[in-house]
Amino acid sequence: MGKKMSEAAFLEAEKYIAGGVDSPVRAFKAVGGDPLFIQKGKGSKIYDIDGNEYIDYVGSWGPAILGHAPEKVIDAVRKVAERGLSFGAPTILETELARRIIKAIPSIERLRFVSSGTEAAMSALRLARGFTKREDIVKFTGCYHGHVDSLLVEAGSGAATFGNPTSSGIPKDFARHTIVLPYNDIDACQNLFKELGETIACVIVEPIAGNMGTILPNENFLSALREITLKYGSLLIFDEVLTGFRITYGGYQNLMGIRPDITCLGKVIGGGMPVALYGGRKEVMSLVSPQGDVYQAGTLSGNPLAMISGIETLDILRRENPYLSLHQTTEKLALGLEEEGKRSNLPVKASFIGSMFTLFFCDKMPGNFDMVNRCDTSLFSMYFKGMLKNGVYLPPSQFETNFLSCAHTEDDIRKTIDISKEVFKDIKR
Ligand code: HOZ
């Protein structure tokens, strides 16, 4: 597969853009090689500027649940664009999208749209601190909630990929109030609350961790977090930026029957446009400015193009309810890959739920960040490169989640498994 144009484009980009990319996970630093420059996408495929076609499992890191360039969404965005791109004043579209989300997720009674998951998490923390008048926050190792200073501590995603789970440039004082616990470790959480419960404003968690690869919560982990936070008057924040409208129509919390106090959403709710939100109980959300004194704002928040893209995406998902079928397709793919890996005597473990999956190069299925860190990233790199060479675009890191879309076909799945089979054979342990 020729990559000359992408290579040249990257050299040019590096002259102007820090590291040549606008988000670190796009670079192929962890796996070696240069990133592809994408020309277009359609359905389950993306095409680079050299004209190569790839089956895409990055899906824009989560938003592309309908596949690339879904006609109805594109048409709707085009129509709204003709009326103007941004007004910095309310439009009815914001209410339309908000109504759909509130109807789908019972714990959200009021919400505020922002433009990225980072903003959503940052604002949710501020709100939790404003509401409880407490300062400490609890997060879990390997969970990633965007690049907020106080949350970029022992974080997953690009931070973990590049071996800097705690970023430099964050004053110690900013992270002083961040307490980090192992994911899935409820005893650690209980012990912490016994000691410091009265000072903790909130616990923030990805209910399914997706930024250290896909790691499922142990049974009772999330319900125990709910119980503990209620007992001590702390707020529970579910970061469902990855899982919102991805696992079911609503949040993963719908399936668990848990009501967090605040939820962060992003990705799917914007259908590929920059949209995120934080929302929760009326009583808590009423503190947000201008009603209350917790300040948060944004020039492009609730942008009309982003709103219509979200509305159309959610309407298609509600009508078509693809979630069971997505889960079955993902299961077939993930288990198919695991089986082929094992046939080649490789230590592979497939973790999956809904349309999210990770193939870990590990002897044991990881349940937390420490275990993920014991996976063999050099085997992963070989696998990634082999797949890419044969037309399959995976997230370029062992610490990320693959996403399927409604556009992935039986043929895509079969091809991906067949290609993997050959790639696994070539991987030398
Ligand atoms: N949460 C996404 C990756 N895990 C973010 C994508 C990015 O950092 O660019």
Side-chain angles (χ1 to χ4, degrees), residues 158-181:
T161 300
F162 302 117
N164 303 310
T166 305
S167 170
S168 85
I170 299 177
K172 279 204 180 69
D173 272 359
F174 285 26
R176 191 159 56 90
H177 292 291
T178 305
I179 302 169
V180 189
L181 296 177

Side-chain angles (χ1 to χ4, degrees), residues 23-26 61 144 157-158 210-211 242 267 399-400:
S23 194
V25 293
R26 295 181 199 176
W61 301 93
Y144 177 74
S157 193
N211 285 289
L242 281 180
K267 310 238 185 218
F399 299 88
E400 298 285 2

Side-chain angles (χ1 to χ4, degrees), residues 147-309:
H147 57 96
V148 186
D149 278 342
S150 58
L151 289 172
L152 209 47
V153 179
E154 308 235 10
S157 193
T161 300
F162 302 117
N164 303 310
T166 305
S167 170
S168 85
I170 299 177
K172 279 204 180 69
D173 272 359
F174 285 26
R176 191 159 56 90
H177 292 291
T178 305
I179 302 169
V180 189
L181 296 177
Y183 191 75
N184 269 333
D185 189 340
I186 207 58
D187 289 343
C189 196
Q190 246 146 7
N191 292 337
L192 172 76
F193 270 82
K194 266 184 208 149
E195 199 188 324
L196 291 175
E198 310 297 322
T199 71
I200 296 170
C202 63
V203 172
I204 184 165
V205 65
E206 292 180 73
I208 297 167
N211 285 289
M212 47 176 155
T214 307
I215 304 274
L216 304 187
N218 289 344
E219 216 190 325
N220 300 333
F221 176 58
L222 300 172
S223 55
L225 292 183
R226 179 65 287 185
E227 266 172 42
I228 297 172
T229 45
L230 275 176
K231 182 169 167 193
Y232 288 88
S234 308
L235 299 192
L236 178 61
I237 304 175
F238 270 13
D239 180 341
E240 297 227 44
V241 168
L242 281 180
T243 51
F245 294 89
R246 159 93 20 216
I247 308 292
T248 188
Y249 188 83
Y252 184 57
Q253 59 189 270
N254 296 47
L255 298 180
M256 294 290 95
I258 295 173
R259 284 175 84 113
D261 301 289
I262 304 177
T263 298
C264 300
L265 295 174
K267 310 238 185 218
V268 170
I269 62 157
M273 297 290 267
V275 186
L277 67 82
Y278 63 105
R281 285 196 278 136
K282 225 190 292 181
E283 186 198 2
V284 177
M285 291 303 291
S286 68
L287 290 197
V288 176
S289 179
Q291 235 181 327
D293 60 0
V294 175
Y295 199 74
Q296 176 271 312
T299 301
L300 293 175
S301 296
N303 170 269
L305 302 192
M307 294 293 106
I308 192 66
S309 173

Side-chain angles (χ1 to χ4, degrees), residues 331-342:
E331 179 173 40
K332 190 167 172 186
L333 174 59
L335 293 181
L337 297 178
E338 187 181 74
E339 192 182 318
E340 290 305 337
K342 282 184 179 151

